[in-house]
Amino acid sequence: MGLEHRLAPKYASIITEADRYDNWKEEGYFTAGDTNKKPYSLVIPPPNVTGKLHLGHAWDTTLQDILCRYKRLQGYDVCWVPGMDHAGIATQAKVDARLKEEGISRYDIGREKFLDRAWAWKEEYAATIRKQWAKLGLSLDYSRERFTMDYGLSEAVNKVFVDLYNDGLIYQGERIINWDPEARTALSNIEVEHKEIMGHMYYFRYKVQETGQELVIATTRPETMFADQAIFVHPDDKRYKDIVGLHAINPANGEALPIMADDYIDMEFGTAVMKCTPAHDPNDFALAKKYDLPMPICMNDDGTMNEICGKYSGMDRFECRKALVEDFEKAGVVDHIEEHLHQVGHSERTGVIVEPYLSKQWFVKMKPLAEEVLKNQQIPDQKISFVPERFEHTFTQWLENIEDWCISRQLWWGHRIPAWTSETTGELYVGTKAPEGSDWKQDEDVLDTWFSSALWPFSTFGWPEDTADLERYYPTNTLVTGYDIIFFWVARMAFQARYCTDNRPFRDVLIHGLIRDRQGRKMSKSLGNGVDPMDVIAEKGADALRFFLTTNSAPGMDLRYDETKVDAAWNFINKIWNASRYVLMQLEPGEVYSIDPESLSASDQWIMDRLNRTLAEVEKNMDKYEFAIAGNVLQNFVWNDFCSWYIELSKTDKSRNTSAVLLEVLKKSILLLSPYMPFVTDTIWEALPGTAGSINTAEWPASFKFQSDPELEREMDLVLQIVQSVRELKAEYRMKPSAPIVIFVQDETGHPVTLSSRAAGALDGLCHARLSDREPEGECATRTLGTFVLSAGLSELVNVSEEKARLQREMERLEKEIMRGEKMLSNPGFTSKAPAAKVAAETQKLENYRTEFTLAKEQFRKLDKIQPKK
């Protein structure tokens, strides 16, 4: 196949991507299992089945794909396991929304039929995700694809739950948890986003029952007052010492609340009197436990007020707040209200304000699990290494301060908790299979999605079974993920892997940042600044998107999406395409080309040395996960050294050996680029003579083996600098590029520089310049080239008589402008009546004309001394 067919430039980088990817899959290029090779493994961060892949997922999967393709080229048996996450809350919300469109809810159809709908959703969106993976060009081993709720992974989840329970690391308890009233489920702390919002601090008057004294107590959540159980003051606060042991009347329901003392109260904050609502505040809960206070709940799980709230029962929590405050104002209970800027928790999934809520939930006791991970972080061959290293501190700090993990969710979609209660005796049974008998009822809750995702690195390889894949590919080599889920996922995989397999889940974690818009804002639906990677691929091609994503940010740093940089990536790909077409046009069909080391030109040796250095630099940075540096080194070599210089040099030497070098440099360049841009490189590779099949079966390029001549390479570097300067001089003095010119170059000692015949030929071919061994006489134009100085006589650069005539005309024009300006500015009628800005502008113009005239006159004087070139 050749590239002689002319694709429209716009589509040069978008080459039948879908068909090419399908062919790669059919040929099995990505299927692991070659035991003759050293293994290398990754597991994809599983996208959830709630819709399309976002740009961040395109970023981290492309980084992983670069790693996989690089390692395959190096001869590794690469196992890259794809998969998807069931995303309990998010998916259930999507299915609920679809049911709502049909005018029904999940409660109308029941749990089993709802789960049928959820599985249908999963199949629909899993198919979409696979297509998107293919469009991105991800080299996944689809024979090993997993889903967090498939049979094997579900078995692993149940086993881990039972083992943790039997080891005393899972327990049930009543705690204040984060409650999502829309999803009607508990949330873990890291599923809550804290946002600063403007609210109110309400100050209400409570009357002391026994004395009639009034206490002013502040709250931000008046609607929870129906569940108040006590009033607290500090035991050393003299203002309130006499009322401890008395009672204050709750203005919300008229109940008498005991006034108690505890040193938890801050005497400097507010009025130093605090109401205690044990079921709706974690600090109040701790006080209630200490003093054995009742813990009534005043709110339903959907955020409406319950029956203990009297006439407010059934109201939404915020409607209740408004109505209660209005009633308090009428009754004279309100002392005053202040605006209050504070941090309020919101559900990461639904966006609603989270309610602190007393609930019986399942928890994982985290401290002993975290301690095992921290202990092994001190052992070099067992630790998880972070790139950049600073994120290890983020990881360990969170583990050192970890809290118990609430793992139960009040959902239907997810791994149902393997716990049953006897309806007869109340006995609790926890096991991987249901107990015998008909009076056992399984827990209605499911597990937090992250519980199953935490098992991902080993459950995907068949754990708890002792499989060949587990033995060969676990622990995995590298995880690529964003810094925003170090707590959500990385830490949980670390402690579950240590508990279940007594090993680390992966050796390295490459951390990337977040994708932001050009202004640095986080992409969001509310801002409307999101970018669909599939839209970018449709317009610019997957290769352009991949190259942009992987070469514009260092590890751990955020990436700003900039369409102009995607265009720049596309332009680079087009440059490669056109260079490949040029090289193919230099080759005779059917001929076999090989490099003769004895017949290398100066430019041949120069480009081969350049490629060897580029190869070493790319390998060094790829091995350090510095893909942006490696990609930019590659781009500089291909665009500047190969396309801008060597291809131009090759036009002055049409030898067979130069054609062979052109072909070999192109082949090696295409191989180096292939991890970044697999589609265009595979298309070019198959068109090049001497290649066998797809680039996916090729090997990482070796450096050129030849007797390099350092002196000749330095000479060629100088030639290219000279060419650049000569071209600039010709442009400045309006010379034709093809016009011959004589130049003089001297080194730092003042001695003239000479060139070998091969280098001199390259200089003449590229810029029609000849090197003289004598410094030019008269006026010169000079340029510095590092430690060298280039000179060219003005007589070489200009036609003296023509240039003098031009300057004469220019000076005459400037003289007229100067006279006009001087006359205008000497006229009092103009200077006194014209706007100051106009006078200033004319003054500046006059100064500019005078400066230009002086320069032209000086240039004319110099030309007057020059003898015209014969």
Side-chain angles (χ1 to χ4, degrees), residues 92-338:
Q92 180 154 315
K94 293 285 188 180
V95 179
D96 278 341
R98 182 173 284 186
L99 290 172
K100 189 176 181 180
E101 290 173 2
E102 299 174 24
I104 56 176
S105 75
R106 68 177 183 267
Y107 301 105
D108 296 324
I109 62 175
R111 186 168 194 146
E112 293 307 314
K113 288 186 178 179
F114 174 82
L115 291 177
D116 289 341
R117 291 290 195 103
W119 277 104
W121 175 283
K122 180 265 175 185
E123 292 304 323
E124 177 184 343
Y125 280 91
T128 299
I129 289 167
R130 289 187 199 102
K131 289 176 184 175
Q132 292 173 330
W133 281 339
K135 285 185 177 182
L136 276 168
L138 306 183
S139 54
L140 296 157
D141 184 351
Y142 284 101
S143 68
R144 290 173 166 82
E145 183 181 330
R146 304 305 298 269
F147 177 57
T148 47
M149 282 177 60
D150 69 26
Y151 175 77
L153 269 67
S154 294
E155 290 294 296
V157 166
N158 286 340
K159 174 177 169 50
V160 174
F161 184 95
V162 172
D163 288 350
L164 286 168
Y165 179 81
N166 290 336
D167 286 344
L169 295 171
I170 281 183
Y171 65 92
Q172 265 188 309
E174 279 199 322
R175 296 276 189 89
I176 296 288
I177 48 86
N178 304 297
W179 186 263
D180 181 330
E182 183 170 313
R184 295 166 77 172
T185 183
L187 303 173
S188 65
N189 288 341
I190 55 177
E191 291 172 302
V192 177
E193 293 180 323
H194 290 276
K195 301 177 184 178
E196 194 170 60
I197 65 172
M198 183 61 74
H200 293 90
M201 182 71 79
Y202 302 90
Y203 291 82
F204 299 141
R205 300 187 184 98
Y206 286 61
K207 189 166 287 187
V208 178
Q209 186 178 47
E210 289 83 355
T211 67
Q213 177 184 350
E214 283 190 343
L215 302 175
V216 176
I217 303 176
T219 181
T220 59
R221 299 160 66 215
E223 66 276 10
T224 64
M225 289 171 62
F226 300 100
D228 287 356
Q229 294 302 299
I231 302 296
F232 276 92
V233 296
H234 196 282
D236 298 332
D237 196 331
K238 295 178 180 178
R239 293 171 292 176
Y240 306 118
K241 206 162 190 177
D242 294 341
I243 62 170
V244 173
L246 304 182
H247 297 80
I249 303 301
N250 184 343
N253 56 16
E255 290 183 356
L257 305 175
I259 300 171
M260 307 173 73
D262 192 274
D263 56 13
Y264 168 77
I265 307 304
D266 183 354
M267 288 193 288
E268 304 301 319
F269 181 76
T271 62
V273 186
M274 187 191 87
K275 72 185 192 69
C276 178
T277 319
H280 295 275
D281 183 277
N283 297 315
D284 295 4
F285 174 79
L287 280 173
K289 291 281 283 186
K290 183 175 180 180
Y291 295 103
D292 198 24
L293 296 173
M295 300 184 187
I297 297 170
C298 66
M299 207 174 289
N300 298 313
D301 64 6
D302 62 353
T304 59
M305 309 311 293
N306 67 17
E307 66 280 356
I308 75 167
C309 302
K311 71 175 187 177
Y312 307 98
S313 176
M315 279 188 181
D316 173 79
R317 52 185 169 154
F318 299 120
E319 290 176 4
C320 173
R321 178 185 299 178
K322 182 180 178 183
L324 187 63
V325 172
E326 287 177 355
D327 288 347
F328 280 179
E329 285 177 327
K330 291 174 186 175
V333 171
V334 178
D335 186 81
H336 67 286
I337 301 172
E338 297 174 350

Side-chain angles (χ1 to χ4, degrees), residues 355-604:
E355 192 66 37
Y357 198 71
L358 181 63
S359 179
K360 188 176 184 180
Q361 302 287 341
W362 291 90
F363 295 86
V364 176
K365 195 179 293 183
M366 291 303 309
K367 194 169 181 59
L369 295 170
E371 285 173 347
E372 273 300 300
V373 176
L374 291 168
K375 181 180 73 177
N376 281 278
Q377 283 300 105
Q378 307 304 312
I379 305 171
D381 65 349
Q382 285 296 309
K383 72 174 293 186
I384 298 168
S385 297
F386 284 78
V387 181
E389 288 183 7
R390 68 179 183 273
F391 287 103
E392 183 177 353
H393 176 69
T394 305
F395 172 73
T396 56
Q397 188 178 46
W398 189 71
L399 289 171
E400 286 166 354
N401 297 283
I402 203 162
E403 298 175 355
D404 286 358
W405 174 19
C406 175
I407 56 171
S408 45
R409 298 290 181 269
Q410 290 63 52
L411 305 170
W412 288 356
W413 175 243
H415 295 97
R416 197 161 172 184
I417 290 175
W420 289 259
T421 303
S422 169
E423 294 186 290
T424 305
T425 65
E427 177 188 354
L428 177 67
Y429 169 82
V430 173
T432 56
K433 299 193 182 304
E436 294 181 1
S438 59
D439 75 331
W440 293 93
K441 183 180 180 182
Q442 188 172 0
D443 197 305
E444 293 286 333
D445 291 351
V446 300
L447 288 165
D448 178 9
T449 299
W450 296 103
F451 192 93
S452 52
S453 296
L455 314 181
W456 192 249
F458 49 93
S459 62
T460 49
F461 289 124
W463 185 92
E465 300 299 321
D466 190 15
T467 66
D469 276 1
L470 190 67
E471 175 67 25
R472 180 165 175 75
Y473 298 116
Y474 182 78
T476 61
N477 292 79
T478 308
L479 171 75
V480 182
T481 193
Y483 60 63
D484 55 327
I485 59 171
I486 290 176
F487 309 144
F488 281 101
W489 195 38
V490 179
R492 287 170 172 166
M493 285 189 286
F495 67 70
Q496 290 286 43
R498 185 57 58 186
Y499 175 77
C500 297
T501 69
D502 195 26
N503 210 330
R504 54 187 171 179
F506 23 73
R507 294 179 179 88
D508 297 336
V509 181
L510 172 59
I511 298 292
H512 62 74
L514 302 177
I515 296 188
R516 301 183 180 276
D517 66 11
R518 288 183 70 176
Q519 298 175 45
R521 300 174 302 176
K522 190 174 179 180
M523 290 185 172
S524 68
K525 289 181 181 178
S526 60
L527 291 174
N529 61 348
V531 175
D532 186 338
M534 297 303 119
D535 291 342
V536 181
I537 290 172
E539 184 180 356
K540 306 291 183 186
D543 290 329
L545 176 62
R546 288 169 61 110
F547 196 73
F548 161 74
L549 289 173
T550 52
T551 58
N552 282 278
S553 178
M557 302 300 291
D558 289 349
L559 170 67
R560 294 194 180 195
Y561 181 80
D562 186 340
E563 190 175 350
T564 62
K565 291 185 178 180
V566 182
D567 289 338
W570 179 87
N571 288 334
F572 176 45
I573 293 166
N574 212 40
K575 187 85 169 177
I576 299 162
W577 181 262
N578 290 330
S580 302
R581 290 181 60 214
Y582 170 80
V583 171
L584 283 173
M585 287 190 290
Q586 310 313 305
L587 308 177
E588 294 295 330
E591 288 290 312
V592 176
Y593 289 86
S594 59
I595 297 172
D596 177 7
E598 302 300 319
S599 305
L600 295 172
S601 69
S603 55
D604 293 338

Side-chain angles (χ1 to χ4, degrees), residues 611 634 637-638 664-673:
L611 190 138
L634 261 174
F637 169 77
V638 173
E664 282 305 307
V665 172
L666 177 61
K667 281 183 179 178
K668 292 178 189 293
S669 300
I670 292 300
L671 281 168
L672 290 171
L673 287 163

